[in-house]
């Protein structure tokens, strides 16, 4: 287990404001600015339910899944959700917030990513497990997280493209 992921080991877990505050603090105190509380016991479980905290500057590489759908529900903050065509062009962008869409479910075979807009964002993710290295399919057109220079360039361009969509009133 890392300092950014915790698997629940209890037979009952309840999530309240105090627990949300605790995981937000854990995200702030870590180097990555992110934290994931997994309600399941392990990555091998058949159902994955997670509360995820991410900071504004966090990069989550676009990915898609071939064998599982997933859904996200906003708990706190604001994030953009971006769906991509196979070639990396933006297919759709929308906001997840208490003022916009609160939840979405995405089918298999669609590249997608989330970009935190607020200082911290907390969301609830549900998808089928188990998790393996082959679960996430990453596109060639999006840089790997450890390629800082290309990530910075990619994110600057992506934010600009999403901002243009917003200005045209096309973000939902």
């Amino acid at each position: 287990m890392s300092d950014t992921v915790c698997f629940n080991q209890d037979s009952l877990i309840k999530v309240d404001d105090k627990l949300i505050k605790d995981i937000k603090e854990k995200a702030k105190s870590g180097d990555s600015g992110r934290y994931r509380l997994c309600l399941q016991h392990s990555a091998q479980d058949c159902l994955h339910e997670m509360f995820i905290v991410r900071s504004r500057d966090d990069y989550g590489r676009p990915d898609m899944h071939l064998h599982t759908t997933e859904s996200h529900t906003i708990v706190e903050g604001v994030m953009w959700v971006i769906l991509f065509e196979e070639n990396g062009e933006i297919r759709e962008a929308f906001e997840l917030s208490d003022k916009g869409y609160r939840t979405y479910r995405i089918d298999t075979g669609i590249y997608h990513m989330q970009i935190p807009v607020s200082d911290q964002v907390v969301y609830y993710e549900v998808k089928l497990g188990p998790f393996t290295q082959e679960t996430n399919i990453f596109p060639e057109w999006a840089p790997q997280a450890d390629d800082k220079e290309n990530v910075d360039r990619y994110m600057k361009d992506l934010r600009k493209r999403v901002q243009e969509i917003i200005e045209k009133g096309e973000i939902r």
Side-chain angles (χ1 to χ4, degrees), residues 112-142:
H112 59 280
M113 76 181 297
Q114 303 81 33
I115 298 177
V117 176
S118 52
D119 288 339
Q120 272 191 319
V121 65
V122 181
Y123 58 100
Y124 176 69
E125 179 178 309
V126 178
K127 64 181 166 185
L128 296 177
F131 174 80
T132 66
Q133 292 302 329
E134 293 78 35
T135 303
N136 297 340
I137 310 291
F138 298 104
E140 303 244 344
W141 42 261

Side-chain angles (χ1 to χ4, degrees), residues 79-102:
M79 71 179 179
W80 292 336
V81 177
I82 304 168
L83 310 181
F84 297 94
E85 301 292 349
E86 289 283 329
N87 65 1
E89 290 300 313
I90 295 174
R91 174 177 174 177
E92 184 175 344
F94 57 94
E95 179 180 289
L96 222 57
S97 70
D98 65 355
K99 306 238 184 316
Y101 294 108
R102 292 206 174 252

Side-chain angles (χ1 to χ4, degrees), residues 1-169:
M1 194 165 351
S2 74
D3 62 346
T4 62
V5 178
C6 174
F7 286 94
N8 166 49
Q9 296 305 308
D10 297 326
S11 61
L12 173 66
I13 184 168
K14 300 178 199 173
V15 178
D16 59 9
D17 288 343
K18 180 185 179 319
L19 186 58
I20 297 296
K21 183 179 176 185
D22 288 348
I23 64 174
K24 286 171 63 178
E25 287 302 317
K26 287 179 181 179
K28 281 183 186 175
S29 66
D31 292 337
S32 69
R34 66 170 64 176
Y35 191 81
R36 180 181 303 254
L37 172 63
C38 300
L39 302 186
Q40 73 274 9
H41 300 302
S42 79
Q44 301 312 308
D45 282 12
C46 293
L47 180 63
H48 289 216
E49 297 177 275
M50 300 158 281
F51 282 88
I52 301 168
V53 181
R54 293 178 55 200
S55 65
R56 181 188 316 243
D57 296 324
D58 183 39
Y59 172 68
R61 188 177 183 194
D63 68 341
M64 77 166 157
H65 315 288
L66 298 178
H67 304 291
T68 185
T69 61
E70 72 181 55
S71 64
H72 295 137
T73 301
I74 198 73
V75 176
E76 278 185 22
V78 177
M79 71 179 179
W80 292 336
V81 177
I82 304 168
L83 310 181
F84 297 94
E85 301 292 349
E86 289 283 329
N87 65 1
E89 290 300 313
I90 295 174
R91 174 177 174 177
E92 184 175 344
F94 57 94
E95 179 180 289
L96 222 57
S97 70
D98 65 355
K99 306 238 184 316
Y101 294 108
R102 292 206 174 252
T103 194
Y104 75 98
R105 178 186 179 275
I106 189 168
D107 233 340
T108 59
I110 300 171
Y111 284 113
H112 59 280
M113 76 181 297
Q114 303 81 33
I115 298 177
V117 176
S118 52
D119 288 339
Q120 272 191 319
V121 65
V122 181
Y123 58 100
Y124 176 69
E125 179 178 309
V126 178
K127 64 181 166 185
L128 296 177
F131 174 80
T132 66
Q133 292 302 329
E134 293 78 35
T135 303
N136 297 340
I137 310 291
F138 298 104
E140 303 244 344
W141 42 261
Q144 294 183 29
D146 61 358
D147 185 355
K148 179 110 173 84
E149 184 178 321
N150 282 324
V151 165
D152 290 345
R153 187 177 309 118
Y154 176 75
M155 289 303 293
K156 183 178 180 181
D157 176 64
L158 186 59
R159 283 188 175 102
K160 180 181 173 197
R161 289 190 287 157
V162 172
Q163 194 61 45
E164 289 171 359
I165 291 169
I166 292 169
E167 288 171 5
K168 291 178 183 175

